[in-house]
Amino acid sequence: MRWEDRSCVLESGSTYLDVKKAFGWKNDVLMVGEGDEARELRAQLTGSCSVVPLTFDDERARWALRHTAAHILAQAVKRLRPEAKLAIGPAIEDGFYYDFDVPTPFTPEDLEKIEAEMKKIVSENLPVVREEIDRESARKLFRDMDEPYKEELLEELPEGEPISLYRQGEFVDLCRGPHAVSTGMVKAFKLLSVAGAYWRGDEKLPMLQRIYGTAFVKQEDLKAHLDRLEEIKKRDHRRLGKELDLFSIQEEGGPGLVYWHPKGALIREIIENFWREEHRKKGYDIVYSPHIAKLELWKTSGHWNWYKDNMYSPMAVEEVEYLLKPMNCPFHILMFKNATRSYRDLPMRMGELGTVYRFERSGVLHGALRVRGFTQDDAHLFCTPEQLEDEIVGVLDLTQYMLGVFGYSEYYCMLSVRDPEDKAKYAGDDSVWEMGEAALAAALKRKNLEYKIDLGEAKFYGPAIDIKIKDALGRLWQGPTIQVDFNLPERFDISYIGEDGAKHRPVMIHRTVLGSMERFVAGLVEHYAGAFPLWLSPTQVAVIPVSEKQAEYALKVTEALKERGFRVDCDLGAEKMGYKIRQAQLQKVPYMLIVGAREAENGTVSVRHRSLGDLGSFALEEFMARAGEEARAKALLPLMGRSEKE
RNA sequence: GCCAGCGUAGCUCAGUGGUAGAGCAGCGGUUUCGUAAACCGCAGGCCAUGGGUUCGAAUCCCUUCGCUGGCUCCA
C-alpha cells in the first residue's frame, strides 16, 4: 500500500481500517480513495495500490456519513415506534432523510425524542457492518421482519447484482452502502423537519412520513450550516418583501396573486425599462397582446390538449367560450400571420412583458416565486431553419449580458429533451425534435457553455435550453429558457416567402431571460438580501437634517438631487437623527446624507453608506457626480469608498 | 390536491378553560438633538371563519379559508 511517499505491507484479508492504522490517519478519515473509487473503511483490500484518506470534505465520504445518519434515524424510530415500516432513507444535498410508514404521523415533540435516541445510538458507537446475502434469504429476512417496502425494493434489484445489508446493533437495512465505520462517527447532527411524502413520489401510492435531518463530523460545521439556514430565512423574499414594503398577497383577493406596492413596482419598472432598452438594441420589436382569447385558438395551438390542467375554466362571452392566457405564444403567432412575410423580414423577434395566468395547485404556491398570475419577459423569434443556430446564440449573448448586470455570473445549462419512454406527452415527430436538439446543442457549443442533458424536461412543443443561475448564497434558481418549436408554426400554418418565391415554414424560438417579473424580483430580493444596488433602489438617497434648524438646507439638497434624477426622501420628522439613520438603514437606503450646521454653511453633505458607514463630507456637487455615475453604470458595489478619498 | 404545523392590534409576538396583553408602527404633546431606537400620553382586537362541547372558549372538538414545511407539478 502506498500513500504519498510512504508505503506499508498488509496481510491479505486486511481492511482499509488497517490501512488507516498503518499510516496513522486521524479519526476524521471516513473513507479511502483508491484511484477513482472511494472505499468504506470496513471493506477488504482488493490488492496493492496507492490510496488517499477521504474526510468529510470529499463528497462521497460526506454522503456515506449522512447515509449512516439516515440509518441511525431509522434505528431510533424503530426503537421508539417498532410498528414503523421502513421505506427509503438516502443522503441528499446538505443532509439526509428517511421515509416511514407509521399509523400516526410524527409530531415536533417526537422529533426531539427521536433525536435523543439517535444521540444514544451514536454514543453506543455501534459498528456498521456490510453483509452480502442471496436474494432468497433477503426475501425471507424482510418478510420475517414485516418490512413490505423493503421487500418491494428488493424485487427491483437487478438480477446478478450482490444484495447487501448493513447492520448496526439490532438494526439491519437493505442498502447498497457505503457507510461510515460506526455510528460514533456521526458526531454532529440535527433533525430539521417532518413532511408527508408519497411512496415513490407517486400521489396514487400511500403517503409516508419523511423526517429530514443533516449531519456533520464537526459540531462547528453543523453550527455553520444552521447559521446558513438562518441567513436564508433572513433573506426570504416574503419577509423582506413585507419589511421593505415591496409587495403583498391579499387573502381577500385570492392566493397566488401578487400586489406590487409602490416600492416594488418601482424596482419592477426600472428592470422593465432596462429590459426594453436591451431588447430594442438586439433588434426586438416590443408588442402587447390581449389577456383572453377564444377557446378555439387554444385548440389550434394545442394548449387545450397539452396544457389544459394548468388553464382556468372557459368563460362565455356572448355565447362564445374564451380562455385566460397561460402563454403569449399564440398571440404572437397571430401577429406574425397578420401579413405576408418575406425572408427579408426574418428573423423577426417579437417581445412582450406578457401577463399570463396558470392554475397552480394550492399546495405549490410560494410567496412571489410560485404564483397564479405572472408577467413573463417573453419573446418569440421567427426565423429560417438556417438562422436558427445564430438566433439561439444571440439569445444566449443577451442572457449572459443581462444576468451579469444583476450580478449573476455563474450558471448551469441544461439541455432539456424528451423523455424517450413517454413520447405521447410531446407534439410533433421525431425528425423535428432531433433538429431542434441539434441546434440548441450546437449553439451551446459555440458559446463554450458546458451543459447537461435533462431527460423528460422538454416542453410539449419542443426541446429547450434551461439555465439555472446561482445566487449570492450559492443556491440555484430557474433562470432563462430557450425553446425551439417546429410544432406551433405547423399548427397555425405560418409561412414566409423565400428567395425562390415559394412558401416556406419558419421555425420559432420561445425564450425568456428573466423568467417572470414576480419570480425574478423575488430572487433578486434574496440575492441582494434586500440591499438593492443604487440603480435599482426604490429610494436612493435619504436626506437627514441634524436638527430642525437645517430643514431648509435639507430641502434645498433634496431639490437639487431630485433635479438630477435621484430618488430622494427627506426626513423632516421630529425624531432624533440617530432614529432617522436607523430607519433609512433598515429600509436599506444606499446613501444617507446628513446635513447639520457645518454642511449648511459650506454647501456640503456628510455621506453615510448603508454598508460602508460614515464616508465623511463631500461637496454636494461631487456626491451627485459620483453617485450619479454609480447608478448610471448599474454598479453592484458603491463607487464612493472612504479609502479613495483619503 | 395530499401529509403535518400554524392563524391573537398595521408588524413581531405573549397569553392553553374564568374580565384580551407587550414592544414597534400610528395619532397628540414635550424635546432640536452629529452617524442604528428621546420622553409622556392616546387610540387600536367579533382572538382567520362558521358551527359544536361547557355555567363559562383565544384556549377543547369539527367545518371552511389562508399561510408555512414537504410530496407531486412549474416561469
Side-chain angles (χ1 to χ4, degrees), chain A residues 57 77 101 127 185 197 211 215 217 225 227 289 382 386 403 429 529 541 566 601 606 630 640:
Chain A
D57 300 330
V77 167
D101 191 351
M185 296 302 289
I211 298 179
V217 172
H225 183 253
D227 288 347
S289 62
F382 300 88
E386 295 72 38
L403 291 180
D429 61 55
V541 183
F566 287 97
E601 196 171 319
S606 176
E630 179 180 335
M640 302 193 64

PDB file of all heavy atoms in Angstrom, chain A residues 57 77 101 127 185 197 211 215 217 225 227 289 382 386 403 429 529 541 566 601 606 630 640:
ATOM      1  N   ASP A  57     -14.711  16.445   3.649  1.00  0.00           N
ATOM      2  CA  ASP A  57     -14.629  17.376   2.515  1.00  0.00           C
ATOM      3  C   ASP A  57     -14.892  16.668   1.193  1.00  0.00           C
ATOM      4  O   ASP A  57     -15.272  17.297   0.216  1.00  0.00           O
ATOM      5  CB  ASP A  57     -13.235  18.019   2.443  1.00  0.00           C
ATOM      6  CG  ASP A  57     -12.951  18.789   3.709  1.00  0.00           C
ATOM      7  OD1 ASP A  57     -13.922  19.295   4.300  1.00  0.00           O
ATOM      8  OD2 ASP A  57     -11.785  18.861   4.114  1.00  0.00           O
ATOM      9  N   VAL A  77     -36.059   5.404  15.256  1.00  0.00           N
ATOM     10  CA  VAL A  77     -37.506   5.333  15.066  1.00  0.00           C
ATOM     11  C   VAL A  77     -38.003   3.927  15.371  1.00  0.00           C
ATOM     12  O   VAL A  77     -39.019   3.734  16.046  1.00  0.00           O
ATOM     13  CB  VAL A  77     -37.893   5.760  13.628  1.00  0.00           C
ATOM     14  CG1 VAL A  77     -39.333   5.401  13.316  1.00  0.00           C
ATOM     15  CG2 VAL A  77     -37.672   7.260  13.461  1.00  0.00           C
ATOM     16  N   ASP A 101     -43.538   4.468   7.148  1.00  0.00           N
ATOM     17  CA  ASP A 101     -44.978   4.318   7.154  1.00  0.00           C
ATOM     18  C   ASP A 101     -45.374   4.067   8.594  1.00  0.00           C
ATOM     19  O   ASP A 101     -45.021   3.027   9.161  1.00  0.00           O
ATOM     20  CB  ASP A 101     -45.386   3.128   6.265  1.00  0.00           C
ATOM     21  CG  ASP A 101     -46.892   3.087   6.029  1.00  0.00           C
ATOM     22  OD1 ASP A 101     -47.620   3.867   6.684  1.00  0.00           O
ATOM     23  OD2 ASP A 101     -47.329   2.288   5.194  1.00  0.00           O
ATOM     24  N   PRO A 127     -20.649  -0.686  15.540  1.00  0.00           N
ATOM     25  CA  PRO A 127     -20.004  -0.887  14.243  1.00  0.00           C
ATOM     26  C   PRO A 127     -21.062  -1.038  13.136  1.00  0.00           C
ATOM     27  O   PRO A 127     -22.100  -1.660  13.375  1.00  0.00           O
ATOM     28  CB  PRO A 127     -19.213  -2.184  14.406  1.00  0.00           C
ATOM     29  CG  PRO A 127     -19.540  -2.723  15.738  1.00  0.00           C
ATOM     30  CD  PRO A 127     -20.370  -1.750  16.502  1.00  0.00           C
ATOM     31  N   MET A 185     -19.268   7.848  14.465  1.00  0.00           N
ATOM     32  CA  MET A 185     -18.682   8.851  13.576  1.00  0.00           C
ATOM     33  C   MET A 185     -19.617  10.033  13.337  1.00  0.00           C
ATOM     34  O   MET A 185     -19.182  11.110  12.952  1.00  0.00           O
ATOM     35  CB  MET A 185     -18.333   8.228  12.218  1.00  0.00           C
ATOM     36  CG  MET A 185     -17.261   7.158  12.273  1.00  0.00           C
ATOM     37  SD  MET A 185     -15.724   7.773  12.961  1.00  0.00           S
ATOM     38  CE  MET A 185     -15.167   8.836  11.627  1.00  0.00           C
ATOM     39  N   ALA A 197     -44.677  12.489   2.356  1.00  0.00           N
ATOM     40  CA  ALA A 197     -44.079  12.240   1.041  1.00  0.00           C
ATOM     41  C   ALA A 197     -44.668  10.939   0.515  1.00  0.00           C
ATOM     42  O   ALA A 197     -44.792   9.966   1.252  1.00  0.00           O
ATOM     43  CB  ALA A 197     -42.567  12.117   1.162  1.00  0.00           C
ATOM     44  N   ILE A 211     -38.735  12.236   7.563  1.00  0.00           N
ATOM     45  CA  ILE A 211     -38.006  13.082   8.513  1.00  0.00           C
ATOM     46  C   ILE A 211     -36.726  13.540   7.841  1.00  0.00           C
ATOM     47  O   ILE A 211     -35.959  12.720   7.326  1.00  0.00           O
ATOM     48  CB  ILE A 211     -37.685  12.311   9.814  1.00  0.00           C
ATOM     49  CG1 ILE A 211     -38.990  11.896  10.489  1.00  0.00           C
ATOM     50  CG2 ILE A 211     -36.834  13.155  10.753  1.00  0.00           C
ATOM     51  CD1 ILE A 211     -38.795  11.110  11.771  1.00  0.00           C
ATOM     52  N   ALA A 215     -26.212  16.144   8.888  1.00  0.00           N
ATOM     53  CA  ALA A 215     -25.168  15.588   9.758  1.00  0.00           C
ATOM     54  C   ALA A 215     -23.794  16.033   9.298  1.00  0.00           C
ATOM     55  O   ALA A 215     -23.551  16.226   8.099  1.00  0.00           O
ATOM     56  CB  ALA A 215     -25.240  14.065   9.743  1.00  0.00           C
ATOM     57  N   VAL A 217     -19.338  15.969  10.685  1.00  0.00           N
ATOM     58  CA  VAL A 217     -18.380  15.343  11.591  1.00  0.00           C
ATOM     59  C   VAL A 217     -18.110  16.284  12.756  1.00  0.00           C
ATOM     60  O   VAL A 217     -17.999  15.871  13.901  1.00  0.00           O
ATOM     61  CB  VAL A 217     -17.065  15.006  10.850  1.00  0.00           C
ATOM     62  CG1 VAL A 217     -15.997  14.527  11.836  1.00  0.00           C
ATOM     63  CG2 VAL A 217     -17.335  13.918   9.813  1.00  0.00           C
ATOM     64  N   HIS A 225     -23.757  25.407   9.273  1.00  0.00           N
ATOM     65  CA  HIS A 225     -24.878  25.066   8.393  1.00  0.00           C
ATOM     66  C   HIS A 225     -26.193  25.643   8.925  1.00  0.00           C
ATOM     67  O   HIS A 225     -26.997  26.186   8.179  1.00  0.00           O
ATOM     68  CB  HIS A 225     -24.981  23.549   8.246  1.00  0.00           C
ATOM     69  CG  HIS A 225     -26.048  23.122   7.301  1.00  0.00           C
ATOM     70  ND1 HIS A 225     -27.228  22.556   7.724  1.00  0.00           N
ATOM     71  CD2 HIS A 225     -26.149  23.216   5.953  1.00  0.00           C
ATOM     72  CE1 HIS A 225     -28.001  22.312   6.673  1.00  0.00           C
ATOM     73  NE2 HIS A 225     -27.368  22.701   5.595  1.00  0.00           N
ATOM     74  N   ASP A 227     -26.484  28.217  10.836  1.00  0.00           N
ATOM     75  CA  ASP A 227     -26.401  29.680  10.656  1.00  0.00           C
ATOM     76  C   ASP A 227     -26.786  30.059   9.237  1.00  0.00           C
ATOM     77  O   ASP A 227     -27.438  31.074   9.005  1.00  0.00           O
ATOM     78  CB  ASP A 227     -24.985  30.188  10.946  1.00  0.00           C
ATOM     79  CG  ASP A 227     -24.673  30.134  12.429  1.00  0.00           C
ATOM     80  OD1 ASP A 227     -25.615  29.946  13.225  1.00  0.00           O
ATOM     81  OD2 ASP A 227     -23.496  30.263  12.812  1.00  0.00           O
ATOM     82  N   SER A 289     -50.285  42.080 -26.143  1.00  0.00           N
ATOM     83  CA  SER A 289     -51.367  41.236 -26.644  1.00  0.00           C
ATOM     84  C   SER A 289     -52.443  41.098 -25.572  1.00  0.00           C
ATOM     85  O   SER A 289     -52.197  41.384 -24.405  1.00  0.00           O
ATOM     86  CB  SER A 289     -50.824  39.872 -27.085  1.00  0.00           C
ATOM     87  OG  SER A 289     -50.252  39.198 -25.993  1.00  0.00           O
ATOM     88  N   PHE A 382     -39.050  34.342 -34.955  1.00  0.00           N
ATOM     89  CA  PHE A 382     -39.423  33.581 -36.145  1.00  0.00           C
ATOM     90  C   PHE A 382     -38.242  33.658 -37.098  1.00  0.00           C
ATOM     91  O   PHE A 382     -37.771  34.755 -37.404  1.00  0.00           O
ATOM     92  CB  PHE A 382     -40.663  34.187 -36.795  1.00  0.00           C
ATOM     93  CG  PHE A 382     -41.860  34.208 -35.864  1.00  0.00           C
ATOM     94  CD1 PHE A 382     -42.080  35.278 -35.011  1.00  0.00           C
ATOM     95  CD2 PHE A 382     -42.754  33.139 -35.841  1.00  0.00           C
ATOM     96  CE1 PHE A 382     -43.170  35.293 -34.156  1.00  0.00           C
ATOM     97  CE2 PHE A 382     -43.854  33.151 -34.985  1.00  0.00           C
ATOM     98  CZ  PHE A 382     -44.061  34.232 -34.138  1.00  0.00           C
ATOM     99  N   GLU A 386     -32.063  27.861 -41.271  1.00  0.00           N
ATOM    100  CA  GLU A 386     -30.640  28.199 -41.364  1.00  0.00           C
ATOM    101  C   GLU A 386     -30.241  29.222 -40.310  1.00  0.00           C
ATOM    102  O   GLU A 386     -29.099  29.264 -39.864  1.00  0.00           O
ATOM    103  CB  GLU A 386     -30.289  28.766 -42.753  1.00  0.00           C
ATOM    104  CG  GLU A 386     -30.442  27.794 -43.914  1.00  0.00           C
ATOM    105  CD  GLU A 386     -31.901  27.495 -44.253  1.00  0.00           C
ATOM    106  OE1 GLU A 386     -32.743  28.422 -44.188  1.00  0.00           O
ATOM    107  OE2 GLU A 386     -32.208  26.319 -44.553  1.00  0.00           O
ATOM    108  N   LEU A 403     -27.990  38.981 -17.259  1.00  0.00           N
ATOM    109  CA  LEU A 403     -27.812  38.361 -15.948  1.00  0.00           C
ATOM    110  C   LEU A 403     -26.591  38.932 -15.245  1.00  0.00           C
ATOM    111  O   LEU A 403     -26.587  39.141 -14.032  1.00  0.00           O
ATOM    112  CB  LEU A 403     -27.681  36.845 -16.074  1.00  0.00           C
ATOM    113  CG  LEU A 403     -28.940  36.111 -16.501  1.00  0.00           C
ATOM    114  CD1 LEU A 403     -28.664  34.625 -16.597  1.00  0.00           C
ATOM    115  CD2 LEU A 403     -30.090  36.377 -15.540  1.00  0.00           C
ATOM    116  N   ASP A 429     -43.186  15.196 -34.743  1.00  0.00           N
ATOM    117  CA  ASP A 429     -42.500  13.924 -34.990  1.00  0.00           C
ATOM    118  C   ASP A 429     -41.003  13.995 -34.695  1.00  0.00           C
ATOM    119  O   ASP A 429     -40.449  15.051 -34.440  1.00  0.00           O
ATOM    120  CB  ASP A 429     -42.790  13.406 -36.410  1.00  0.00           C
ATOM    121  CG  ASP A 429     -42.296  14.372 -37.464  1.00  0.00           C
ATOM    122  OD1 ASP A 429     -41.105  14.712 -37.436  1.00  0.00           O
ATOM    123  OD2 ASP A 429     -43.134  14.782 -38.299  1.00  0.00           O
ATOM    124  N   ALA A 529     -30.149  40.303  -0.529  1.00  0.00           N
ATOM    125  CA  ALA A 529     -30.606  40.400   0.860  1.00  0.00           C
ATOM    126  C   ALA A 529     -31.366  41.709   1.084  1.00  0.00           C
ATOM    127  O   ALA A 529     -31.276  42.323   2.142  1.00  0.00           O
ATOM    128  CB  ALA A 529     -29.446  40.256   1.839  1.00  0.00           C
ATOM    129  N   VAL A 541     -31.421  57.938  -1.967  1.00  0.00           N
ATOM    130  CA  VAL A 541     -30.765  58.827  -1.020  1.00  0.00           C
ATOM    131  C   VAL A 541     -31.769  59.268   0.032  1.00  0.00           C
ATOM    132  O   VAL A 541     -32.895  59.643  -0.308  1.00  0.00           O
ATOM    133  CB  VAL A 541     -30.214  60.079  -1.743  1.00  0.00           C
ATOM    134  CG1 VAL A 541     -29.456  60.969  -0.763  1.00  0.00           C
ATOM    135  CG2 VAL A 541     -29.313  59.684  -2.914  1.00  0.00           C
ATOM    136  N   PHE A 566     -32.265  61.807  -9.006  1.00  0.00           N
ATOM    137  CA  PHE A 566     -32.163  60.836  -7.913  1.00  0.00           C
ATOM    138  C   PHE A 566     -33.521  60.644  -7.262  1.00  0.00           C
ATOM    139  O   PHE A 566     -34.347  61.555  -7.247  1.00  0.00           O
ATOM    140  CB  PHE A 566     -31.174  61.324  -6.843  1.00  0.00           C
ATOM    141  CG  PHE A 566     -29.744  61.247  -7.263  1.00  0.00           C
ATOM    142  CD1 PHE A 566     -29.096  62.378  -7.771  1.00  0.00           C
ATOM    143  CD2 PHE A 566     -29.038  60.059  -7.163  1.00  0.00           C
ATOM    144  CE1 PHE A 566     -27.775  62.310  -8.169  1.00  0.00           C
ATOM    145  CE2 PHE A 566     -27.713  59.992  -7.559  1.00  0.00           C
ATOM    146  CZ  PHE A 566     -27.079  61.115  -8.065  1.00  0.00           C
ATOM    147  N   GLU A 601     -23.474  75.513   6.098  1.00  0.00           N
ATOM    148  CA  GLU A 601     -22.589  76.651   5.923  1.00  0.00           C
ATOM    149  C   GLU A 601     -21.694  76.495   4.698  1.00  0.00           C
ATOM    150  O   GLU A 601     -21.500  77.437   3.922  1.00  0.00           O
ATOM    151  CB  GLU A 601     -21.731  76.807   7.179  1.00  0.00           C
ATOM    152  CG  GLU A 601     -21.055  78.143   7.272  1.00  0.00           C
ATOM    153  CD  GLU A 601     -20.406  78.303   8.632  1.00  0.00           C
ATOM    154  OE1 GLU A 601     -21.053  77.897   9.638  1.00  0.00           O
ATOM    155  OE2 GLU A 601     -19.275  78.773   8.696  1.00  0.00           O
ATOM    156  N   SER A 606     -22.696  65.351   4.511  1.00  0.00           N
ATOM    157  CA  SER A 606     -21.940  64.284   5.159  1.00  0.00           C
ATOM    158  C   SER A 606     -22.538  62.966   4.663  1.00  0.00           C
ATOM    159  O   SER A 606     -23.728  62.723   4.837  1.00  0.00           O
ATOM    160  CB  SER A 606     -22.066  64.423   6.674  1.00  0.00           C
ATOM    161  OG  SER A 606     -21.431  63.351   7.292  1.00  0.00           O
ATOM    162  N   GLU A 630     -22.374  55.952 -10.352  1.00  0.00           N
ATOM    163  CA  GLU A 630     -22.641  54.614  -9.792  1.00  0.00           C
ATOM    164  C   GLU A 630     -23.980  54.071 -10.306  1.00  0.00           C
ATOM    165  O   GLU A 630     -24.072  52.903 -10.696  1.00  0.00           O
ATOM    166  CB  GLU A 630     -22.658  54.683  -8.258  1.00  0.00           C
ATOM    167  CG  GLU A 630     -22.942  53.339  -7.592  1.00  0.00           C
ATOM    168  CD  GLU A 630     -22.941  53.437  -6.072  1.00  0.00           C
ATOM    169  OE1 GLU A 630     -22.293  54.353  -5.507  1.00  0.00           O
ATOM    170  OE2 GLU A 630     -23.599  52.587  -5.443  1.00  0.00           O
ATOM    171  N   MET A 640     -18.295  55.049  -3.970  1.00  0.00           N
ATOM    172  CA  MET A 640     -17.760  56.048  -3.057  1.00  0.00           C
ATOM    173  C   MET A 640     -17.141  55.392  -1.840  1.00  0.00           C
ATOM    174  O   MET A 640     -17.786  55.246  -0.819  1.00  0.00           O
ATOM    175  CB  MET A 640     -18.873  56.972  -2.586  1.00  0.00           C
ATOM    176  CG  MET A 640     -19.555  57.669  -3.716  1.00  0.00           C
ATOM    177  SD  MET A 640     -20.592  59.017  -3.146  1.00  0.00           S
ATOM    178  CE  MET A 640     -19.425  60.102  -2.435  1.00  0.00           C
TER     179      MET A 640
END
